[in-house]
Amino acid sequence: MPPKLQDLPPELLDHIMYFLPPSSIMHLMVNRKMQPVCEQYRIPYRSLHLLKAFALRPDLALLVQKLFISLHWCHPGEIASYKLPTLLQPDGLATLSLAKNIRSFGIIGVNWLSDPTLAHIREVVTHMNLTSLFTADRDSIRDDLETSRAVVSNLRAILQSQPQLESLSLSGYRIDVAIANTIDTTDVPNLRKFQGRTTLAQAFLHAAPKLNDLNLALGTESRSNTPFPQIGDGHKIRALTTIVFLKYSSSWNSFGSFLESFPNVESLAILSVDWFDDGDLSSYFDS
């Protein structure tokens, strides 16, 4: 019996998907075994084809106000055959510049805030007029000083070009505390919502005078049984989202004092992952 496509190793399937057009990927998704591999390519290619449409119809580009590009499937510099799509190379990004009315922009899957070879992406973003910016570190960048300096320096340059920015998400970025604290009020005069790890959240809480919505659920601090961190300037927050990994029951001992850091919260969302290995959750709440 000849081998079937779905029986190939996931790494090989992933490589094959990179070269397929969206129409072929949609056909493959009818196979249940292929769906997990295909899903990550279905949506990213949609946004890249939209950029192609911008070149053909600049009038349509002016109608786009929200654009999200996922490149989780792309690994430039790590695997020789993988590279950024042509549309995200310096010449190709001219089409993105045609979308002059984008207000909400996101790009994930490549470390464009720190990688010196991706400065062209940062340059295009600085010429946007955004109210919302979303990015995520694919590999959860380590907080080494060199990387931290690059991320914060490039981020501040972008923030200073976006005075109307109200929402910022920096999922996964781990930044040295001292370097994160260089973020200044002039960088984020109108920021109202932030998503990211506690270290960066602290810096933005201190710097952003209008920040009142904080989402810590995209960080990974509580994946261990370490205590919940204390948050300064938490009195500014009106809406809070956080995450709890329930199997680490010892972290709950500091959860109450963590919440006390936010005395003025009006909207609270707690996302829970896993469950206790033993014991009863009710014992951690007042009767």
Side-chain angles (χ1 to χ4, degrees):
M1 180 180 296
K4 297 181 180 179
L5 183 63
Q6 63 265 29
D7 295 329
L8 293 175
E11 296 80 6
L12 183 55
L13 283 174
D14 183 71
H15 186 68
I16 293 172
M17 294 298 163
Y18 178 78
F19 296 98
L20 294 180
S23 57
S24 297
I25 292 174
M26 292 300 293
H27 287 304
L28 288 173
M29 288 189 72
V30 299
N31 186 307
R32 186 170 299 178
K33 290 184 178 180
M34 295 292 295
Q35 286 179 3
V37 181
C38 294
E39 184 63 30
Q40 61 179 326
Y41 290 90
R42 182 174 61 90
I43 297 176
Y45 272 109
R46 184 183 304 166
S47 58
L48 295 182
H49 278 272
L50 179 62
L51 294 183
K52 290 182 181 179
F54 290 171
L56 300 174
R57 292 285 306 274
D59 56 318
L60 293 181
L62 295 175
L63 300 178
V64 177
Q65 295 187 8
K66 183 176 182 179
L67 181 62
F68 179 82
I69 299 174
S70 173
L71 296 171
H72 275 302
W73 43 273
C74 188
H75 306 273
E78 296 179 10
I79 301 177
S81 59
Y82 281 22
K83 61 181 180 179
L84 278 175
T86 302
L87 279 166
L88 293 180
Q89 299 292 346
D91 295 339
L93 278 174
T95 58
L96 181 57
S97 301
L98 296 173
K100 300 181 183 298
N101 294 318
I102 288 181
R103 296 295 176 262
S104 178
F105 181 71
I107 180 168
I108 64 173
V110 291
N111 297 326
W112 63 282
L113 278 179
S114 59
D115 192 335
T117 66
L118 300 179
H120 55 283
I121 296 181
R122 298 192 292 272
E123 178 68 19
V124 170
V125 175
T126 59
H127 288 90
M128 294 179 176
N129 184 19
L130 300 175
T131 59
S132 176
L133 175 63
F134 181 96
T135 185
D137 167 35
R138 195 188 77 214
D139 302 315
S140 292
I141 283 180
R142 299 185 180 277
D143 55 353
D144 62 275
L145 294 181
E146 183 178 354
T147 301
S148 290
R149 289 192 188 100
V151 169
V152 173
S153 175
N154 293 327
L155 176 63
R156 292 190 67 191
I158 291 172
L159 293 175
Q160 290 166 8
S161 71
Q162 307 296 329
Q164 301 306 314
L165 192 72
E166 297 180 358
S167 178
L168 175 64
S169 179
L170 298 171
S171 173
Y173 283 91
R174 290 187 286 178
I175 303 299
D176 177 80
V177 175
I179 296 174
N181 287 336
T182 62
I183 296 169
D184 188 74
T185 300
T186 57
D187 299 331
V188 283
N190 290 299
L191 189 69
R192 289 172 167 79
K193 181 177 182 179
F194 177 78
Q195 297 183 161
R197 297 175 64 88
T198 303
T199 302
L200 278 171
Q202 290 263 86
F204 281 99
L205 267 171
H206 178 72
K210 298 181 180 180
L211 185 61
N212 59 21
D213 189 330
L214 189 61
N215 188 335
L216 301 176
L218 298 181
T220 56
E221 291 96 331
S222 55
R223 292 193 182 198
S224 67
N225 56 2
T226 56
F228 279 85
Q230 295 297 306
I231 304 292
D233 294 309
H235 63 278
K236 299 162 55 175
I237 299 301
R238 298 294 184 271
L240 174 66
T241 301
T242 188
I243 190 169
V244 176
F245 289 78
L246 295 176
K247 70 178 181 179
Y248 300 120
S249 57
S250 60
S251 67
W252 278 76
N253 296 329
S254 59
F255 191 53
S257 58
F258 166 76
L259 291 180
E260 289 175 356
S261 303
F262 305 95
N264 297 316
V265 163
E266 300 169 356
S267 174
L268 174 64
I270 302 175
L271 309 181
S272 61
V273 180
D274 296 324
W275 194 247
F276 285 110
D277 295 327
D278 50 33
D280 182 6
L281 180 62
S282 62
S283 65
Y284 289 84
F285 295 89
D286 294 334
S287 56

